Amino acid sequence: VKADDKTSVYGEELKELTYTVDDGILVGNDDKDALEITLVKEDGLTVGNYAITGTSNSANYDVTVESANYEITKKAVTVKADNKTSVYGDALVELTYTVDDGILVGNDDKTALGITLVKEDGLTVGNYAITGTSNSANYDVTVEPANYEITRRTPALSDLVYDLTSKQYTGE
């Protein structure tokens, strides 16, 4: 008897474990239930490969269960980097991203996505791309890029200093 390979995505309910019996193995009107097979998946719910093994308690059959593989694959997730703006000469603001509700599995938080955001090099007035990468073990993350705009500085009148007391007529 051969246990069947299974695949599911991280966070999905695990699929029922099944097995295949070759034609001609069972006697008379016996069905698969006569083999009294119990299948189990190796412990683990994160991305990876887990062994499926089986045992039999059949009184009428000497059963060997060929093991199989249960693969849990990464969950595809798309997040959006947030647009940012700062004024020329000011400190750059923190880069952030938005995760829609219901995207993360169980008690996972944003740190499970393993996202690193970077701003294109440049500190002068202009627009710069914000991009991101992920090193998540359980999520296949796509980061939608955003824009970082550095705007012109407008000096306030209070920033300007005039010293009218030192004006001197030079005759010209």
Side-chain angles (χ1 to χ4, degrees), residues 82-162:
D82 300 322
N83 290 324
K84 297 294 178 177
T85 303
S86 63
V87 176
Y88 174 72
D90 287 354
L92 297 177
V93 296
E94 180 182 4
L95 303 179
T96 58
Y97 58 92
T98 302
V99 178
D100 291 336
D101 289 340
I103 294 291
L104 299 174
V105 173
N107 293 326
D108 287 352
D109 61 18
K110 287 172 76 168
T111 60
L113 297 176
I115 294 175
T116 301
L117 296 175
V118 294
K119 181 190 86 52
E120 181 181 1
D121 286 342
L123 297 174
T124 59
V125 172
N127 290 293
Y128 301 92
I130 299 171
T131 57
T133 58
S134 169
N135 64 358
S136 177
N138 292 316
Y139 295 94
D140 182 12
V141 181
T142 299
V143 179
E144 292 181 356
N147 184 60
Y148 195 113
E149 182 180 13
I150 298 177
T151 60
R152 292 176 185 245
R153 174 170 292 287
T154 304
L157 285 178
S158 61
D159 293 341
L160 302 176
V161 178
Y162 295 97

Side-chain angles (χ1 to χ4, degrees), residues 1-2 18 42 53 66 69 72 91 108 122 138 143:
V1 175
K2 169 79 170 107
T18 57
E42 180 182 3
T53 57
E66 291 181 36
N69 184 59
I72 299 177
D108 287 352
N138 292 316
V143 179

Side-chain angles (χ1 to χ4, degrees), residues 27-101:
V27 175
N29 290 329
D30 284 352
D31 61 13
K32 288 170 72 168
D33 292 340
L35 300 175
E36 297 184 40
I37 292 176
T38 301
L39 296 175
V40 294
K41 181 189 102 24
E42 180 182 3
D43 285 342
L45 298 174
T46 58
V47 171
N49 290 292
Y50 301 92
I52 300 171
T53 57
T55 57
S56 170
N57 290 323
S58 176
N60 296 320
Y61 294 92
D62 184 15
V63 179
T64 300
V65 179
E66 291 181 36
S67 62
N69 184 59
Y70 198 117
E71 181 181 16
I72 299 177
T73 61
K74 289 184 176 189
K75 178 178 180 176
V77 171
T78 299
V79 300
K80 172 79 175 111
D82 300 322
N83 290 324
K84 297 294 178 177
T85 303
S86 63
V87 176
Y88 174 72
D90 287 354
L92 297 177
V93 296
E94 180 182 4
L95 303 179
T96 58
Y97 58 92
T98 302
V99 178
D100 291 336
D101 289 340

